[in-house]
Amino acid sequence: MTNISRRKFILTTSVAAAASIVAHGCTSNNSPSATGEQTPSAAPAANVSSANAPKVETTKAKLGFIPLTDAAPLIIAKEKGFFAKYGMTDVEVIKQKSWPVTRDNLKIGSSGDGIDGAHILSPMPYLLTIKDKVPMYILARLNTNGQAISVANKFKDLKVNLESKGLKEVAAKAKADKKSVKMGITFPGGTHDLWMRYWLAAGGINPDQDVVLEPVPPPQMVANMKVGTVDAFCVGEPWNAQLVSQKLGYSALVTGELWKDHPEKAFTMRKDWVDQNPNAAQAILMAILEAQQWCDKAENKEEMCKICSDRKYFNVAAADIVERAKGNIDYGDGRTEKNFAHKMKFWADNASYPYKSHDTWFLTEEIRWGYLPADTKIVDIVNQVNKEDLWKKAAKAINVADAEIPTSTSRGIETFFDGVKFDPEKPEAYLQSLKIKKA
């Protein structure tokens, strides 16, 4: 049995109180982000109309996001007028309280007062399609890199960093004392869960036997660390930077060190919505791709972070977002990096392109840890969910240069920090090579 708690997330009175001071992550039901009533806080981008805009079937769509820096393309597409530029004048970008809430709102759709699409953990559209029987499409990858595994200050003397093995003895002693080392992840089977599991297993720590994995909503990670509910966590920014700024812990690693330019969040929409509104879906995708290009420009980072820091979006200080967005990493234990090669990318190095080879890895890891059965037809389901053909169509419509449009849906063999290689043509061989697994 997995050690992931059956609770969807941790909410104690003390954590809730701390969250109101530390994370400021949730909004009231009367807030603009809860109702979807948003007013632009940024001057529209240049060229606010486009002759390339398709004739849309509807101007309306409801898109969800979690307060994480990699949601920026959706927020910027709204605030800088890219959705409107392509005819989608009534798009709502609506804050979600957690990944389970995002999942549930996608399941019911906007017709049931849910959402049509979302900024999402890349494996979730597959879990929705396979386990929840709600067919989804992945239309773009929103970013690569940009997450971190952060640990409590009490582990500084152990020098826990890219190598997790320093925690092995700590976890064993806690287990012997009938206690546990608790690791915060954002959603079972999501990217942060997979990064945490990979990191632990590479150090000889079985994530299902030696520690406890606790699902915690991203905006509540820092509050949980503050009150000692978790000893470490894996999450996106700005929450790792905020932990460091409040001197509550440090980042052991940023996840680009784990896997260079790894895929992270995706933009997903319900299959039925896209099939019924193909032109509107293309318009939304065109806007998001243009927003990704805008977000990746160095001269736009300050404005991007200022917009995202607003109360209706992240509700944090822009200073907690901007440095890591620029690639300036203060790990919190004396290590620093400037313009780090492993910074979050929205467009550079094909960050936006939804490689099918990456989704093949995600599904293989879902099998590894028992979230999906071993007989899952990986190729078939990837071809069903991953709509890289729609990405290419949208990219060409906004005049992306041919050199920036991948000609292969595979990025080839991937190499992880521990030397393990993943050949997307041979996922079974990769799975068999792993020492710690459930499959």
Side-chain angles (χ1 to χ4, degrees), residues 98-161:
S98 66
W99 292 118
V101 170
T102 302
R103 174 201 59 202
D104 294 345
N105 280 333
L106 283 168
K107 286 167 68 173
I108 62 177
S110 61
S111 62
D113 203 26
I115 55 179
D116 304 303
H119 150 257
I120 203 163
L121 301 165
S122 280
M124 285 182 68
Y126 289 98
L127 299 177
L128 276 158
T129 299
I130 297 169
K131 300 178 78 170
D132 295 305
K133 309 302 181 187
V134 179
M136 303 296 298
Y137 284 156
I138 286 177
L139 301 181
R141 203 75 65 197
L142 287 178
N143 68 298
T144 57
N145 302 328
Q147 320 302 296
I149 295 177
S150 292
V151 298
N153 282 328
K154 62 185 177 182
F155 297 127
K156 274 187 179 178
D157 290 343
L158 297 176
K159 299 188 183 303
V160 176
N161 46 45

Side-chain angles (χ1 to χ4, degrees), residues 151-204:
V151 298
N153 282 328
K154 62 185 177 182
F155 297 127
K156 274 187 179 178
D157 290 343
L158 297 176
K159 299 188 183 303
V160 176
N161 46 45
L162 191 56
E163 299 287 345
S164 66
K165 58 187 178 183
L167 291 174
K168 191 171 183 178
E169 187 175 332
V170 173
K173 185 179 186 305
K175 192 174 180 181
D177 293 339
K178 300 190 183 302
K179 297 178 182 179
S180 59
V181 175
K182 294 185 178 181
M183 308 291 196
I185 51 95
T186 63
F187 185 83
T191 52
H192 303 114
D193 182 25
L194 299 183
W195 309 142
M196 180 66 82
R197 286 172 174 274
Y198 193 99
W199 178 65
L200 291 170

Side-chain angles (χ1 to χ4, degrees), residues 10 15 148-156 158 160-161 164 166-167 170-175 178-185 196 199-200 205 210-216 220-235 240 243 248-252:
I10 307 168
V15 169
I149 295 177
S150 292
V151 298
N153 282 328
K154 62 185 177 182
F155 297 127
K156 274 187 179 178
L158 297 176
V160 176
N161 46 45
S164 66
L167 291 174
V170 173
K173 185 179 186 305
K175 192 174 180 181
K178 300 190 183 302
K179 297 178 182 179
S180 59
V181 175
K182 294 185 178 181
M183 308 291 196
I185 51 95
M196 180 66 82
W199 178 65
L200 291 170
I205 301 168
D210 300 333
V211 298
V212 172
L213 301 182
E214 291 279 7
V216 181
Q220 295 173 19
M221 286 291 189
V222 175
N224 275 273
M225 185 79 87
K226 183 174 185 178
V227 298
T229 313
V230 297
D231 302 299
F233 59 64
C234 183
V235 73
N240 301 284
L243 183 83
L248 297 171
Y250 70 98
S251 293

Side-chain angles (χ1 to χ4, degrees), residues 290-363:
E290 190 163 343
Q292 288 182 275
Q293 293 175 319
W294 188 94
C295 288
D296 234 17
K297 293 178 180 177
E299 63 266 29
N300 293 333
K301 294 296 184 184
E302 296 274 356
E303 185 180 0
M304 180 192 82
C305 295
K306 182 179 179 181
I307 292 169
C308 290
S309 71
D310 189 88
R311 178 176 176 272
K312 65 187 173 187
Y313 293 123
F314 297 2
N315 197 23
V316 300
D320 285 340
I321 312 173
V322 68
E323 290 305 319
R324 291 200 181 196
K326 292 178 177 179
N328 301 328
I329 315 296
D330 176 358
Y331 287 81
D333 63 353
R335 294 175 294 151
T336 60
E337 294 282 353
K338 292 290 185 182
N339 195 27
F340 203 23
H342 301 303
K343 66 184 177 184
M344 184 181 295
K345 300 175 183 177
F346 296 103
W347 185 260
D349 301 320
N350 300 323
S352 173
Y353 186 73
Y355 284 102
K356 288 184 178 180
S357 61
H358 290 161
D359 287 351
T360 298
W361 182 83
F362 283 126
L363 289 178

Side-chain angles (χ1 to χ4, degrees), residues 349-418:
D349 301 320
N350 300 323
S352 173
Y353 186 73
Y355 284 102
K356 288 184 178 180
S357 61
H358 290 161
D359 287 351
T360 298
W361 182 83
F362 283 126
L363 289 178
T364 303
E365 285 289 301
E366 299 295 329
I367 294 170
R368 175 187 185 181
W369 299 115
Y371 291 119
L372 290 176
D375 62 357
T376 299
K377 298 184 184 302
I378 293 177
V379 174
D380 291 347
I381 194 67
V382 168
N383 286 336
Q384 177 184 334
V385 174
N386 184 304
K387 306 304 289 184
E388 48 95 21
D389 56 321
L390 298 184
W391 186 98
K392 288 182 177 180
K393 183 179 179 181
K396 290 176 180 177
I398 63 169
N399 300 315
V400 172
D402 289 344
E404 294 184 73
I405 299 178
T407 57
S408 172
T409 193
S410 174
R411 203 169 71 174
I413 296 174
E414 305 282 352
T415 303
F416 295 82
F417 83 105
D418 55 350

Side-chain angles (χ1 to χ4, degrees), residues 226-288:
K226 183 174 185 178
V227 298
T229 313
V230 297
D231 302 299
F233 59 64
C234 183
V235 73
E237 298 304 337
W239 309 112
N240 301 284
Q242 190 178 85
L243 183 83
V244 171
S245 72
Q246 297 189 21
K247 303 186 185 307
L248 297 171
Y250 70 98
S251 293
L253 67 141
V254 296
T255 49
E257 297 173 89
L258 203 71
W259 175 10
K260 184 177 184 291
D261 290 343
H262 69 78
E264 181 51 40
K265 302 300 188 301
F267 173 59
T268 192
M269 293 198 79
R270 288 174 56 106
K271 175 183 182 294
D272 56 5
W273 196 96
V274 175
D275 290 349
Q276 291 166 18
N277 305 285
N279 290 346
Q282 180 179 339
I284 290 173
L285 189 50
M286 291 164 70
I288 288 175

